[in-house]
């Protein structure tokens, strides 16, 4: 095209200059708000959280209300019958981590999921025996008592309303019930409630859950005690016994959520506050950041084969350590200091070939002898007007957990027992090949990959994030952090950007759609085994970035959900 008119030419060239120098022109704008924000994987629950913030509640209050609402509106992962982690940073700078991860019941044994030939059975994933003692209700109770401001019953009210009046079934929810129909239909109460006895819910049809509403009402009026010692506990224990499950009234009565000290570390001027064991994620984030720091990988730019190569190599090395050394801190000694020791990290970093993939068989868990003594989830991030931030990841493990709905109670039970190494050395649901530090024992919590994380900049909260996605959670959270910290992306672009995943074993590189074929070809040439015919979704990250007095919400459009703010 030839432009003859000099004025048009001047206009075009100044427009072009404007485009180049004008402040942020992003591929995908985040959602902006001033005062409060909730990013969650189900829109109704996100709005519940914002309503709590608007009515004067703090981020912890909102986190509890969102948690209960998701148990109604997002049965895939939201739960009363599961567990998780809540990471809190208060406006005054205090931080804490509430561990409400499920525990193995007293009757659990080391080899309980091995069949007569010594191979892992499906029992850790499906049915009554798959459930660990649920922790969510206890965790929310602890959070409210120590850090919340609102009355407990008020925070349960929106969930009760949603369960008793119902809500319209969204398209993804309609599809999700159908996709899980084979397994849900094996349990009469799940079949009746979630599949309408096989007739299925239609799009936009109202979905009411009367039993769940009654359970929530009891918990609202009698407190968390109802779940662990009251009528809810009695019904749960009775049904467990009737159906060959392991959880007893004693297990429920003894369950305690605990506060732990978050792990902290630094990366290029950012301060990272993240999840300690029984999450493996925080150690992973700190170790992988440490290995990357000083490699100069970022000079090759986001999305380059070299950047992905370095990411894959630090992931591979971390997962080798993770699977060998980590477990429930109340049972095994986690060698965290050794795993994030700068000298150790340097030796791990030095073992990375700048060009070629290191076969996983050549990577062993790397600590010197003696140093170690020892599908589906949901995440939401919240920021309030006072400056408190909260990140919660909680789960039933697999989508709809064990697929068992407790008759009379209306909620699904987790299958978190599969996160243990049912047989050390054999892969679990997420392909994780783990060791004895994460074997089954009564009262033990299984090792998790959930990693709610908060990044500080100049002493203030800067990024609040986390994700569901099994073993891919840690690598997804890492990549979103790096996209912001190293590549200067806004929070939405950082989430959208195509991700990769490596977990040591199996020795394959997972890639998302969007990684270019040229890049894939270079990675294959470097020695990676990639199944590019089958691109995968690598977790779903929900994040808030705080900058210049604005809250910027990034929701992962790989799944459903919403940024709600005001
Ligand atoms: O705690 C863990 O690591 C797993 N139970 C999380 C499961 C999960 O994220 C499934 N979601 N896609």
């Amino acid at each position: 095209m030839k432009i003859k008119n000099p004025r048009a030419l001047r206009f075009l060239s100044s427009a072009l200059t404007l485009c180049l120098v004008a402040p942020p022109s992003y591929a995908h704008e985040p959602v902006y708000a001033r005062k409060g924000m909730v990013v969650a994987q189900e829109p109704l629950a996100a709005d519940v959280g914002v309503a709590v913030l608007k009515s004067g509640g703090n981020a912890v209050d909102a986190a509890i209300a969102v948690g209960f609402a998701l148990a109604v509106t997002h049965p895939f992962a939201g739960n009363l019958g599961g567990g998780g982690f809540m990471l809190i940073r208060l406006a005054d700078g205090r931080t804490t981590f509430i561990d409400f991860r499920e525990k193995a019941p007293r009757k659990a044994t080391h080899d309980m999921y091995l069949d007569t030939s010594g191979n892992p059975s499906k029992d850790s994933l499906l049915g009554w025996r798959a459930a660990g003692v649920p922790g969510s209700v206890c965790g929310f109770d602890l959070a409210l008592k120590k850090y919340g401001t609102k009355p407990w019953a008020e925070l349960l009210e929106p969930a009760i309303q949603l369960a008793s009046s119902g809500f319209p079934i969204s398209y993804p929810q309609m599809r999700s019930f159908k996709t899980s129909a084979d397994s849900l239909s094996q349990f009469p109460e799940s079949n009746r409630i979630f599949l309408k006895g096989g007739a299925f819910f239609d799009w936009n049809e109202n979905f009411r859950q009367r039993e769940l509403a009654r359970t929530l009402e009891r918990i609202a009026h009698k407190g968390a005690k109802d779940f662990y010692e009251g009528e809810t506990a009695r019904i749960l224990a009775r049904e467990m016994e009737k159906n060959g499950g392991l959880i007893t009234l004693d297990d429920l009565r003894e369950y305690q959520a605990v506060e732990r000290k978050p792990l902290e570390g630094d990366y290029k001027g950012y301060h990272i506050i993240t999840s300690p064991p029984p999450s493996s994620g925080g150690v992973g984030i700190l170790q992988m950041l440490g290995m990357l720091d000083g490699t100069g990988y970022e000079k090759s730019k986001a999305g380059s084969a070299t950047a992905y190569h370095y990411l894959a190599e630090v992931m591979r090395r971390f997962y080798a350590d993770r699977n060998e050394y980590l477990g429930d801190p109340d049972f095994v000694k986690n060698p965290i200091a050794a795993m994030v020791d700068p000298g150790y990290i340097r030796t791990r970093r030095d073992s990375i070939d700048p060009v070629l993939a290191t076969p996983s068989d050549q990577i062993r868990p790397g600590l010197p002898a003696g140093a170690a003594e020892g599908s589906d989830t949901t995440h939401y991030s919240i920021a309030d007007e006072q400056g408190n931030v909260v990140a919660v990841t909680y789960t039933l493990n697999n989508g709809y957990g064990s697929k068992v709905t407790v008759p009379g109670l209306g909620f699904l039970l987790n299958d978190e027992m599969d996160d243990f190494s049912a047989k050390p050395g054999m892969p679990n649901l997420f392909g994780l090949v783990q060791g004895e530090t994460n074997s089954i024992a009564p009262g033990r919590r299984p090792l998790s990959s959930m990693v709610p994380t908060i990044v500080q900049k100049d002493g203030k909260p800067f990024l609040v994030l986390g994700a569901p996605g099994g073993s891919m959670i840690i690598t997804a959270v890492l990549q979103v952090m790096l996209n912001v910290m190293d590549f200067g992306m806004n929070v939405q672009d950082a989430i959208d950007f195509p991700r990769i995943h490596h977990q040591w074993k199996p020795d394959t590189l997972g890639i998302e759609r969007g990684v270019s074929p040229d890049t894939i070809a270079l990675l294959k040439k470097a020695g990676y085994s990639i199944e590019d015919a089958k691109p995968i979704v690598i977790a779903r990250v929900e994040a808030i970035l705080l900058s210049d007095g604005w809250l910027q919400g990034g929701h992962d459009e790989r799944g459903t959900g919403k940024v709600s703010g005001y």
Side-chain angles (χ1 to χ4, degrees), residues 101 375-377 395 397 416 419 430 448-450 468-470 473:
R101 180 85 164 151
S375 254
D376 211 273
T377 305
T395 187
N397 191 30
E416 219 70 60
D419 275 350
F430 302 111
S448 173
S449 299
M450 295 184 290
I473 294 173

Side-chain angles (χ1 to χ4, degrees), residues 485-536:
M485 299 189 300
D486 277 347
F487 298 117
M489 293 184 204
N490 81 19
V491 68
Q492 188 61 62
D493 286 345
I495 291 171
D496 293 348
F497 203 79
R499 302 195 268 261
I500 57 144
H501 173 76
H502 204 295
Q503 61 180 47
W504 180 49
K505 289 185 180 170
D507 192 349
T508 53
L509 185 66
I511 52 149
E512 287 191 324
R513 189 169 277 127
V515 175
S516 88
D518 299 352
T519 305
I520 294 172
L522 288 169
L523 287 165
K524 281 185 176 165
K525 216 167 140 200
Y528 289 98
S529 145
I530 301 175
E531 279 191 59
D532 49 333
K534 276 200 240 150
I536 51 171

Side-chain angles (χ1 to χ4, degrees), residues 8-82:
L9 204 60
R10 265 202 307 278
F11 170 77
L12 259 184
S13 87
S14 61
L16 199 66
T17 317
L18 211 72
C19 284
L20 293 176
V21 298
S25 116
Y26 294 128
H28 191 168
E29 287 278 10
V31 175
Y32 293 89
R34 272 285 190 205
K35 294 184 170 173
M37 183 173 276
V38 179
V39 191
Q41 290 183 307
E42 197 287 314
L44 294 166
D47 290 342
V48 162
V50 165
V52 170
L53 295 178
K54 280 185 177 166
S55 72
N58 70 8
V60 176
D61 296 323
I64 296 161
V66 172
F68 281 120
L70 285 168
V72 179
T73 60
H74 190 54
F76 195 62
N79 68 79
L80 300 183

Side-chain angles (χ1 to χ4, degrees), residues 189-260:
E189 199 65 351
S190 303
N191 189 46
R192 182 178 70 79
I193 294 178
F194 300 112
L195 306 178
K196 240 174 117 178
F200 294 116
F201 286 96
D202 200 357
W203 172 66
N204 247 342
E205 189 173 342
N206 196 45
F207 178 45
R208 296 173 69 181
Q209 300 170 77
R210 291 186 184 82
E211 292 84 359
L212 181 57
R214 276 202 299 277
T215 303
L216 287 163
E217 265 166 21
R218 263 199 318 275
I219 296 171
H221 296 129
K222 304 217 159 117
K225 247 182 142 174
D226 173 71
F227 193 94
Y228 294 95
E229 297 179 38
E231 191 178 337
T232 302
R234 282 192 294 277
I235 298 173
L236 177 51
R238 187 190 68 208
E239 292 297 325
M240 275 280 162
E241 198 177 350
K242 213 157 74 184
N243 293 285
L246 302 182
I247 298 172
T248 62
L249 257 185
D250 283 340
D251 285 318
L252 291 163
R253 206 177 293 121
E254 281 167 10
Y255 183 86
Q256 297 273 327
V258 283
E259 266 191 286
R260 303 189 191 275

Side-chain angles (χ1 to χ4, degrees), residues 168-207:
I169 291 280
S170 65
Y171 177 84
Q173 184 58 71
M174 176 191 75
R175 187 183 48 195
S176 166
F177 282 147
K178 284 193 178 150
T179 313
S180 299
D182 282 353
S183 45
L184 280 171
S185 63
Q186 293 178 33
F187 302 94
E189 199 65 351
S190 303
N191 189 46
R192 182 178 70 79
I193 294 178
F194 300 112
L195 306 178
K196 240 174 117 178
F200 294 116
F201 286 96
D202 200 357
W203 172 66
N204 247 342
E205 189 173 342
N206 196 45
F207 178 45

